Amino acid sequence: MKKIAAILLGMTLVLGGCGGNGQTAATTAPESTESTTTAAETTAEETSAQGVYKAGTYTASAQGNNGPVELSVTFDEEKITEISIGKHGETTGISDAAFEKIPAAIIENQSLGVDTISGATYTSQAILDAVADCVTQAGGDAEALRAVAVEGGGEAEKAVLADSEVDVLVIGGGGAGLSAALSASQNGASVILVEKLSALGGNTFRCGGAFNTCDPERQKDIPMTEALSSTVEKVLAHEDVSEEHAKLKAEVQKQWDEYKASGNTMLFDTPEWHALQSIDAGDYEGNVELVRAFTSNTLDTLNWLSDNGVQWTDQVSTVVGALWNRSHQTPNNSGADIIAALETNATESGVDIYLDTKAEELLVEDGRVAGAVLTNSAGDKVTVKAKKGVIMATGGFSANVEMRVKYNKQWEDIGESLTTNNTPGATGDGIVMGEAVGANLVGMGWIQLMPLNSVSGGGISGYVNSSLYCNKEGKRFVAEDQRRDVLAEAVLAQTDKLFYIVCDQKEAELRGRTPEVMSYMVENGLVYSGDTIAELAENMGVPADALEETVKEFNELVKADKPDQFGRTTWENTIEVGPFYAPSFSPAVHHTMGGLEINSNAEVINTDGQVIPGFYAAGEVTGGIHGTNRVGGNAVPDALCFGKVAGEKAAGN
Ligand code: ADP
């Protein structure tokens, strides 16, 4: 079980976060295509005038250590009366204490301020997050419940932040914040990092950890194909949209001409090509200078992460929406691997980390951002003065429906009808705090939907190289190697806004899914399976003849290795070796592309185009890199590259 859970870690996270509705959990609504979090079995028709909650039972899931943890919470009008744990893949033994103690402590104290259990931090956090979600569904105030004092229920003594003075204050403990804190500390600064939730990690922990970079060593055995060449030619043929774009395009054209003249048959890639592709995929809305600063820094950052204990496999693939074979992966296909290494190194380097500590507003002195006012884990207001700078790394606003609706200019409906697979901490706080001190906001209307949000609860591969996507009619409907916005839009037009990824045993093995893991997923209803395509189709509930025809055509296309009728150019393996598998998916709000404007030194820019002294930002809280559509596998390097730069610059180097 332990081994299965360890491998499931990668499986679930690579798909982008929260899993689907339980097919086995008693209190979960039937399979929904719109949301992984559903209100279920509300027993009271109306909210009592005096009541805190709409009485009833509500179901939610949140990301644990090995994937989604489902639970349901029963409320009367005044309190939480019962918490039932549903489907999950957490490791028996390690997670037991969290399942026993956390729900009991929540009920006993009627509080979400319960300490996490050491050794089972992420399971504990998942329980707290999912209960918080149910509280919100029941009309309660999850934030207020977090602040309710707790008598026991946890183990660790929580560090309580007092009024302090430090060189660098980092706000947010995801990938950007941890890399900023580590790099500031390694560059000689004293550093305080605050995280408003009870665990570090943010979205970086939840994601698959895919890291795009040009990497001649790891890419050396990947063949260049005619189909891939056509992609380069197409992007190079785009008309000039600005001087910077024309200059970048000319550089890539030169590199491409030299590559072709050299007779090289292996994959073409350069930091400039990565930049040009990212700009093209974001419909030329990204800031070319910033994107170039990013892609020219990714390999150095990858190596810096390796020096700081992050492991990368030798394999490079194309994560969904990545458009090119440059997505690096960790051994578990998991951002949790990156967070664990950064946390260890930051702590060892002397960074002071405070959990359950929320930054509320920035302090400005003489035009300089000089610190912040925060609420500490005891619920008290404290002030941190930061002599060298404040680094904002609070992530995006996918979990803030109001902000989504306010800024969205891309989707017909981005409100409650769509779930998010983000951390509940992604509420846009840093954008609000930054705007209040004059920061310019860029690209706020562009919001990414992740097409691969698991509905059946499991997944096998978030990489598109050998993936076949089919709808409920058993037919392909899109080029699987397309941009995420194109994929999401295509899925939203399918029956029940749902699709399946069909793959075979060969692909499962390639992605490290052993037969043991696959049996676990099949037995727990996390993926559909069949020894033949017809049997798989029957279990999926799609027409067998249609799926058989689709797979047959797909295999012919793989062998032909040419652009197909949808324009797909990335082909690798056929689907021929049974047993066959198919988890189901539906889009979820995943990444907010807009945010604080920064320059290539990660300095925040104000509405007059000037640097705000003492103010740095990195990661999803910033805007300007991804344009209308973030390339899959660009978020983690964006957060970590600019986090590292922000740390160096704030420390004064
Ligand atoms: P990025 O990828 O940019 O690092 P993440 O989502 O991984 O973004 O991490 C952002 C982190 O910031 C989350 O863990 C979130 O809980 C935290 N955070 C958000 N707002 C605040 C705040 N006001 N104070 C402290 N931490 C915050």
Side-chain angles (χ1 to χ4, degrees):
M1 176 64 193
K2 190 172 162 190
K3 194 167 156 212
I4 290 172
I7 300 168
L8 282 171
L9 172 67
M11 170 201 80
T12 47
L13 291 170
V14 75
L15 298 169
C18 292
N21 297 321
Q23 294 169 337
T24 55
T27 52
T28 311
E31 186 172 72
S32 154
T33 57
E34 298 200 339
S35 171
T36 56
T37 303
T38 49
E41 298 178 8
T42 303
T43 53
E45 297 283 285
E46 293 175 323
T47 311
S48 144
Q50 275 92 40
V52 176
Y53 302 112
K54 283 178 268 178
T57 299
Y58 301 83
T59 300
S61 71
Q63 190 70 21
N65 205 34
N66 300 336
V69 172
E70 288 187 354
L71 53 74
S72 50
V73 182
T74 303
F75 300 82
D76 64 19
E77 287 172 359
E78 290 169 359
K79 58 184 187 306
I80 299 169
T81 56
E82 195 183 327
I83 298 171
S84 311
I85 304 294
K87 200 165 74 177
H88 67 84
E90 303 298 272
T91 311
T92 309
I94 296 175
S95 60
D96 293 357
F99 287 127
E100 278 163 27
K101 292 185 182 178
I102 300 282
I106 293 172
I107 292 172
E108 189 187 329
N109 296 280
Q110 294 296 308
S111 168
L112 291 173
V114 170
D115 284 347
T116 54
I117 304 290
S118 66
T121 313
Y122 293 114
T123 308
S124 310
Q125 191 58 46
I127 298 168
L128 289 164
D129 290 349
V131 174
D133 189 329
C134 292
V135 166
T136 308
Q137 290 181 53
D141 184 345
E143 280 296 313
L145 278 201
R146 283 188 214 281
V148 174
V150 172
E151 299 292 326
E155 287 176 343
E157 270 296 305
K158 223 178 270 173
V160 181
L161 180 64
D163 288 340
S164 315
E165 212 172 285
V166 72
D167 289 335
V168 176
L169 170 65
V170 179
I171 303 174
L178 279 166
S179 64
L182 176 60
S183 97
S185 174
Q186 288 176 341
N187 282 282
S190 60
V191 183
I192 286 178
L193 178 146
V194 294
E195 164 56 53
K196 73 173 174 182
L197 299 183
S198 307
L200 295 172
N203 283 338
T204 313
F205 168 81
R206 295 171 167 241
C207 76
F211 188 115
N212 289 345
T213 180
C214 166
D215 181 344
E217 184 52 35
R218 285 190 181 83
Q219 290 170 313
K220 70 180 186 320
D221 295 329
I222 302 174
M224 190 69 185
T225 64
E226 206 182 298
L228 292 172
S229 296
S230 71
T231 301
V232 181
E233 302 281 1
K234 194 167 146 234
V235 174
L236 281 172
H238 196 284
E239 62 179 356
D240 295 349
V241 297
S242 66
E243 241 176 70
E244 293 80 16
H245 167 242
K247 192 161 165 266
L248 175 63
K249 211 174 75 170
E251 279 178 46
V252 176
Q253 183 70 59
K254 186 162 175 280
Q255 292 167 344
W256 178 236
D257 291 342
E258 282 168 7
Y259 166 85
K260 283 192 293 185
S262 74
N264 191 345
T265 55
M266 292 300 149
L267 188 76
F268 169 74
D269 204 8
T270 65
E272 290 72 29
W273 167 233
H274 182 188
L276 189 65
Q277 243 193 330
S278 303
I279 295 284
D280 181 76
D283 294 321
Y284 299 86
E285 294 283 345
N287 173 333
V288 175
E289 194 196 331
L290 206 54
V291 177
R292 291 182 73 143
F294 161 54
T295 59
S296 61
N297 212 352
T298 47
L299 188 55
D300 280 353
T301 304
L302 184 103
N303 291 332
W304 173 73
L305 290 163
S306 302
D307 293 344
N308 285 286
V310 179
Q311 288 178 31
W312 305 100
T313 67
D314 291 336
Q315 194 182 355
V316 174
S317 306
T318 308
V319 77
V320 62
L323 313 175
W324 207 249
N325 279 314
R326 59 168 82 90
S327 307
H328 294 59
Q329 58 193 66
T330 69
N332 292 310
N333 274 338
S334 167
D337 291 341
I338 300 171
I339 293 297
L342 287 174
E343 181 179 355
T344 305
N345 281 277
T347 309
E348 280 173 6
S349 181
V351 174
D352 287 325
I353 296 176
Y354 294 90
L355 301 176
D356 293 308
T357 303
K358 183 178 179 216
E360 307 283 359
E361 62 177 313
L362 294 170
L363 290 174
V364 180
E365 285 172 8
D366 302 327
R368 183 183 173 81
V369 171
V373 177
L374 310 100
T375 303
N376 70 13
S377 53
D380 298 325
K381 285 265 179 301
V382 293
T383 299
V384 173
K385 292 275 184 82
K387 280 179 283 181
K388 295 191 165 181
V390 174
I391 301 174
M392 194 61 82
T394 46
F397 58 92
S398 289
N400 185 330
V401 177
E402 216 174 286
M403 271 180 91
R404 265 162 37 188
V405 171
K406 175 177 168 188
Y407 288 109
N408 166 51
K409 58 175 183 182
Q410 197 167 13
W411 303 97
E412 207 172 301
D413 181 7
I414 197 84
E416 299 285 358
S417 70
L418 281 169
T419 187
T420 179
N421 56 8
N422 274 206
T423 163
T427 47
D429 303 10
I431 293 171
V432 175
M433 283 186 270
E435 201 181 14
V437 299
N440 194 36
L441 305 185
V442 285
M444 291 294 290
W446 310 119
I447 297 175
Q448 179 162 94
L449 301 186
M450 165 53 103
L452 271 67
N453 185 55
S454 182
V455 170
S456 57
I460 293 152
S461 166
Y463 293 88
V464 297
N465 304 58
S466 310
S467 286
L468 181 165
Y469 297 179
C470 81
N471 58 19
K472 284 198 150 180
E473 288 72 41
K475 302 208 165 112
R476 282 180 67 222
F477 55 93
V478 72
E480 292 84 347
D481 60 351
Q482 257 291 358
R483 298 159 39 148
R484 287 183 176 178
D485 55 350
V486 173
L487 295 174
E489 203 168 341
V491 177
L492 291 175
Q494 304 308 307
T495 307
D496 293 338
K497 300 175 183 166
L498 185 116
F499 75 107
Y500 304 86
I501 301 185
V502 178
C503 74
D504 68 359
Q505 180 59 29
K506 197 159 59 313
E507 172 70 359
E509 277 167 30
L510 186 68
R511 301 297 163 193
R513 316 301 176 221
T514 62
E516 200 187 5
V517 168
M518 294 317 301
S519 320
Y520 176 87
M521 284 201 282
V522 171
E523 278 160 24
N524 286 279
L526 305 176
V527 302
Y528 301 95
S529 75
D531 286 336
T532 61
I533 294 294
E535 191 182 302
L536 173 69
E538 196 180 316
N539 290 333
M540 291 159 71
V542 308
D545 49 350
L547 189 62
E548 280 179 326
E549 187 56 30
T550 298
V551 172
K552 187 167 156 267
E553 271 174 23
F554 177 87
N555 289 339
E556 283 161 10
L557 288 164
V558 172
K559 286 171 195 155
D561 202 2
K562 294 211 167 81
D564 71 346
Q565 72 270 35
F566 299 109
R568 174 169 170 161
T569 54
T570 311
W571 304 102
E572 203 168 305
N573 293 315
T574 52
I575 298 174
E576 285 174 306
V577 183
F580 302 94
Y581 306 104
S584 61
F585 301 89
S586 186
V589 181
H590 184 60
H591 187 102
T592 48
M593 265 84 68
L596 308 178
E597 183 177 355
I598 55 166
N599 62 19
S600 48
N601 288 334
E603 292 166 304
V604 179
I605 307 298
N606 69 15
T607 47
D608 295 327
Q610 306 298 315
V611 164
I612 301 177
F615 193 19
Y616 302 83
E620 201 178 336
V621 73
T622 68
I625 299 256
H626 308 295
T628 61
N629 169 65
R630 174 174 67 71
V631 166
N634 268 4
V636 169
D638 169 22
L640 300 174
C641 285
F642 282 105
K644 177 172 176 280
V645 168
E648 284 160 8
K649 299 295 172 192
N653 295 299

